[in-house]
Structure formats: structure tokens, C-alpha cells
Amino acid sequence: MTKRFVFSMVALTASLALAGCSGGVQSEENGTPGQPSESAKSQSQGAGDGKSLDAKQVETVASTLLKSDQSVQVISNEQMQPQLEAAKDAEMPAGIKPEKCAELNAKYSVTDLTSSVAATSTSSSEEVGKVVQIFSITDEATRANVLNALAFDDLEDCGTVTIEQSGKELKAKRQILPMDVNAERALTMSTVMDAGGGQTLSSVAVQALDGNNFVLITLQTGSVQPAELATEAVKLTDQAFDEIKSVQ
């Protein structure tokens, strides 16, 4: 699997993650689904004190998480801002079927993250492609939109969808995973996609918000099981919030 292919599919899977830009919806034991548990609230203190990170800090956090990986690329806030501006006005992914799933996708999408300071780091190996994105939100309305999107907790009848990309129709099976994440609110989703040619692509996206800081971790592979991906993705997410607190 080439690096170019891995990251083109990462972008596609992220578009299917429904929050648009995903750890776990809290179980009833820890709190109401989609709502922060009491333990998560206490753990988020410090990150939720209204502090936002500056450009250097978000880049430090993004790059630190993948520092042991090979072929790491870091995209700075300066480079990210044009991308965020373009994403704000971009059309929603076309060709999602059933049509009601496209409507559900639109309902829980957050495309405008221009009111944030952001950085991205990526790495790719033969086994796993990784994307780490850190957004430090500077606008309360944007934070509220992200918080609402992460309340998504039911795929309804949209666990299996098809989407057209470059004239090809791809089938994806999705599942919300009940993973614990040390954040105010979080959502973890796994996607298994038939990429054609007998190739299956698995990914896990963890989106988590704590205070003003929004973390998106996406791991993708053609060989590793989704359960293993989810464990690693949640670990990276928790590490991201630890790093955020350390640089504040």
C-alpha cells in the first residue's frame, strides 16, 4: 500500500466519521451516552480552564505524539489555515447512499474550524498510516458546535454506506466504539472499507474535546484489526491531552 493511497483513504474515512474533521461515547456506567462522565469532568480540569494554545504549542503537541515514527511530516498552523478556510466552504461529500445517511452526515458535521490554532502530523509505514490533528479553539460558538457534534451516538440505519470517489463506488461498514477517553466529550468510530481489488481498509478515528482543545486521531491500515487500532488511537488521544496540559 503506497503512502499516497493511505492518506487519500484517510481523508475519505474522516469524511464518513460524521463529525467532519473522533474517544469513546461514554457508557451508561460512566454517564449519559454522548455526555461527559463525572470522572471525565474532573480529568478535564486544567484543559478546560479557558486557555488556548498558540501556534508553537499546537505544533509541539502534534509532532511529539509521532516523534518515534519514521517518515513523520508536520503541517504548521500557518500551513493549516488556508486548508481550514477552504474546508469551511467546501461541499459535503457527494454520493453517500442511502440518501438519509448523507443527511445524517451533514447534521453532525463541523466544517468550520477557522476559529482555531491548528497543527497536523502524519506518518506512514507498511502497517499503519497515522494522522494527528490538534485544534485549539478560540471561539465559543465553534467550541459549542464541536461539542454538539460529538454527542452523536447512534448510526441509526447508516452502519453500512456507499460513497462515490473518482467514479468508483466504495462500500464502508461503520461502528461507534464504546471507548473511554480522558476528555470532556469524545467519539470513536471504526470503518471497514472495501477499497476494491480484494483490498479491505480498516480505520479508527477518535475525536475528543477537552476545554478549548480538540484532538483528532486517525489510524488506518490494510492489515491490523480495528480493535488494535482503537486501543492505540485512544492511547494517542490521551497522550495528546497530557501533552497539551504540559505545554500550557
Side-chain angles (χ1 to χ4, degrees), residues 52-208:
S52 296
L53 305 184
D54 60 30
K56 183 177 180 180
Q57 288 172 322
V58 294
E59 187 173 340
T60 296
V61 174
S63 59
T64 297
L65 294 182
L66 299 182
K67 64 181 180 181
S68 62
D69 290 10
Q70 296 179 348
S71 304
V72 176
Q73 297 182 2
V74 180
I75 304 173
S76 67
N77 178 63
E78 183 178 3
Q79 295 169 302
M80 285 285 293
Q81 289 306 317
Q83 298 181 30
L84 297 181
E85 192 65 39
K88 180 178 70 171
D89 300 318
E91 295 182 0
M92 295 300 297
I96 297 177
K97 298 177 182 178
E99 290 184 4
K100 67 176 183 179
C101 299
E103 296 171 1
L104 193 65
N105 189 81
K107 180 179 179 180
Y108 285 96
S109 291
V110 177
T111 58
D112 188 359
L113 284 167
T114 53
S115 294
S116 67
V117 181
T120 296
S121 63
T122 65
S123 71
S124 181
S125 68
E126 291 298 320
E127 290 80 26
V128 180
K130 303 177 184 180
V131 180
V132 170
Q133 292 182 285
I134 309 297
F135 302 89
S136 196
I137 298 170
T138 58
D139 174 72
E140 180 55 35
T142 300
R143 179 187 132 78
N145 288 339
V146 173
L147 192 67
N148 289 337
L150 295 185
F152 178 75
D153 63 358
D154 188 356
L155 285 169
E156 300 179 13
D157 296 322
C158 295
T160 299
V161 298
T162 59
I163 184 169
E164 293 181 7
Q165 185 187 50
S166 302
K168 296 181 179 180
E169 193 171 79
L170 305 175
K171 180 177 288 187
K173 294 183 178 181
R174 304 175 296 173
Q175 182 180 6
I176 294 175
L177 304 178
M179 306 291 288
D180 273 336
V181 179
N182 294 332
E184 182 178 352
R185 183 169 291 171
L187 172 67
T188 298
M189 186 177 293
S190 69
T191 303
V192 178
M193 184 175 294
D194 180 358
Q199 187 174 44
T200 299
L201 195 64
S202 299
S203 71
V204 171
V206 180
Q207 297 178 97

Side-chain angles (χ1 to χ4, degrees), residues 203-216:
S203 71
V204 171
V206 180
Q207 297 178 97
L209 179 72
D210 204 32
N212 290 333
N213 300 302
F214 176 42
V215 173
L216 169 58

